[in-house]
Amino acid sequence: MRITRRDIMTGGLAALATGQAMQAFAATEMALGPAQLTTLSDGNLVLPLDFLIGDLPQAQATEALAQHGITGDTLTPPCNLTLYRDGTNTVLFDAGSGPAFMPSAGKLRDALDAAGVAPDEVTHVLFTHAHPDHLWGVLDDFDDPVFANAAHMIGQAEHAYWTDPATVGTIGEARASFAVGAARRLEAIADRLETFTPGQEVLPGILAHDTRGHTPGHVSFEIGQGNSAVMVVGDAIGNGHLALAHPGWASGADQNAEQGIATRLRLLDRLATEGMPMVGFHLPGGGLGRVERAGDAYRFVTEV
């Protein structure tokens, strides 16, 4: 297994035409036997701090975040997508935000271009869940599918939840737009969308795991080649600070806090015990690293 880090420079034709500065997209690469895994930046989110803190005691949570250099009223988590190429399939895990969610995100097209991959070369798009920063990038500015030649795959429970007309009225006002947007996009790609259940090998060497809690049908994907494996965890481990330093604390980002805690503790224990690398969608350094135990807590190590 070989892991390297490099910066890919890209600007795109639009940037060249307007004279805008080139943009750098940090990419982390990992060899899995003959296959290659690359993380790509979709930019970052800008979120109110209470989106993460939720019902936690304000002072305690603020002090814990300050220990990680996070102060102020907002968070700016990175968005790391995973590209996996095994010589037969070109697989993208999640699709990013697209143009309609936040101006700080939706940079995937540029990152793919920097990696030398055209959207029509992607053979499969696998979703961890259907939140905007993971799903909305399936459509472009004209509401046409971005990955025109790809099969799109989502967990059965996740699909059922976001396509249920009752969801928009029960998910809460703050996330109602998530439900409307997910239903519209899932309908738009319905003719190329497949569902699966956790425990299923969705593609050769790619196993889906039940990691519900962040959403009702959230899944993580274990990618294996020979004796090497990596876990794409999506938002089951949602950040590199509270989720690891205080994994038993509820996260305001999880739709079911208690399920989220149970999933997080189980996943962290396995990753630390087995020493398996993982990719976290909102973790630092491109999202690829290992989990190590730190007393009763954990830490994320990007240099492996």
Side-chain angles (χ1 to χ4, degrees):
M1 178 177 65
R2 178 178 60 83
I3 299 176
T4 63
R5 282 178 162 75
R6 62 189 174 92
D7 283 338
I8 295 178
M9 299 300 295
T10 184
L13 294 178
L16 292 175
T18 60
Q20 294 175 357
M22 303 284 275
Q23 290 183 315
F25 294 95
T28 304
E29 296 183 335
M30 173 180 176
L32 285 165
Q36 189 77 17
L37 182 147
T38 307
T39 68
L40 300 173
S41 174
D42 192 46
N44 66 273
L45 303 183
V46 180
L47 301 172
L49 192 62
D50 59 11
F51 184 83
L52 172 66
I53 291 177
D55 295 329
L56 292 174
Q58 181 81 26
Q60 188 178 12
T62 300
E63 179 183 357
L65 286 169
Q67 293 174 4
H68 293 270
I70 299 172
T71 59
D73 298 326
T74 59
L75 296 166
T76 56
C79 299
N80 311 299
L81 283 89
T82 302
L83 179 71
Y84 175 70
R85 291 168 281 186
D86 64 6
T88 300
N89 296 315
T90 297
V91 184
L92 187 63
F93 293 84
D94 293 322
S97 295
F101 187 45
M102 287 187 182
S104 59
K107 316 301 184 186
L108 176 61
R109 294 287 292 270
D110 290 332
L112 281 170
D113 183 60
V117 177
D120 61 7
E121 294 176 316
V122 175
T123 61
H124 299 82
V125 182
L126 274 54
F127 298 104
T128 60
H129 63 298
H131 275 167
D133 49 330
H134 298 256
L135 172 67
W136 286 18
V138 296
L139 299 181
D140 63 17
D141 291 308
F142 303 98
D143 279 352
D144 292 324
V146 171
F147 307 103
N149 297 325
H152 294 57
M153 306 178 74
I154 191 170
Q156 190 175 76
E158 188 75 355
H159 182 266
Y161 177 75
W162 294 103
T163 55
D164 183 348
T167 296
V168 69
T170 58
I171 196 173
E173 183 178 355
R175 288 184 169 94
S177 64
F178 292 12
V180 173
R184 184 170 74 82
R185 286 163 178 83
L186 291 171
E187 181 180 6
I189 61 170
D191 62 341
R192 64 195 70 210
L193 187 64
E194 306 171 24
T195 61
F196 58 84
T197 55
Q200 182 177 339
E201 187 179 42
V202 296
L203 288 171
I206 302 178
L207 179 65
H209 290 280
D210 180 355
T211 51
R212 74 184 76 177
H214 183 67
T215 62
H218 188 289
V219 297
S220 298
F221 297 98
E222 181 179 350
I223 308 170
Q225 280 278 357
N227 294 324
S228 299
V230 62
M231 187 79 76
V232 178
V233 304
D235 286 359
I237 301 171
N239 57 72
H241 31 78
L242 296 187
L244 287 98
H246 301 280
W249 285 8
S251 171
D254 292 343
Q255 289 181 228
N256 186 315
E258 292 305 313
Q259 279 186 346
I261 291 170
T263 290
R264 188 160 52 250
L265 290 172
R266 184 177 69 250
L267 195 53
L268 286 167
D269 178 70
R270 180 185 174 188
L271 291 169
T273 299
E274 297 183 9
M276 183 190 300
M278 73 164 181
V279 181
F281 196 88
H282 295 302
L283 296 184
L288 177 61
R290 294 183 189 274
V291 172
E292 294 181 351
R293 287 190 172 84
D296 294 331
Y298 299 87
R299 59 174 170 258
F300 179 65
V301 181
T302 56
E303 298 301 327
V304 292

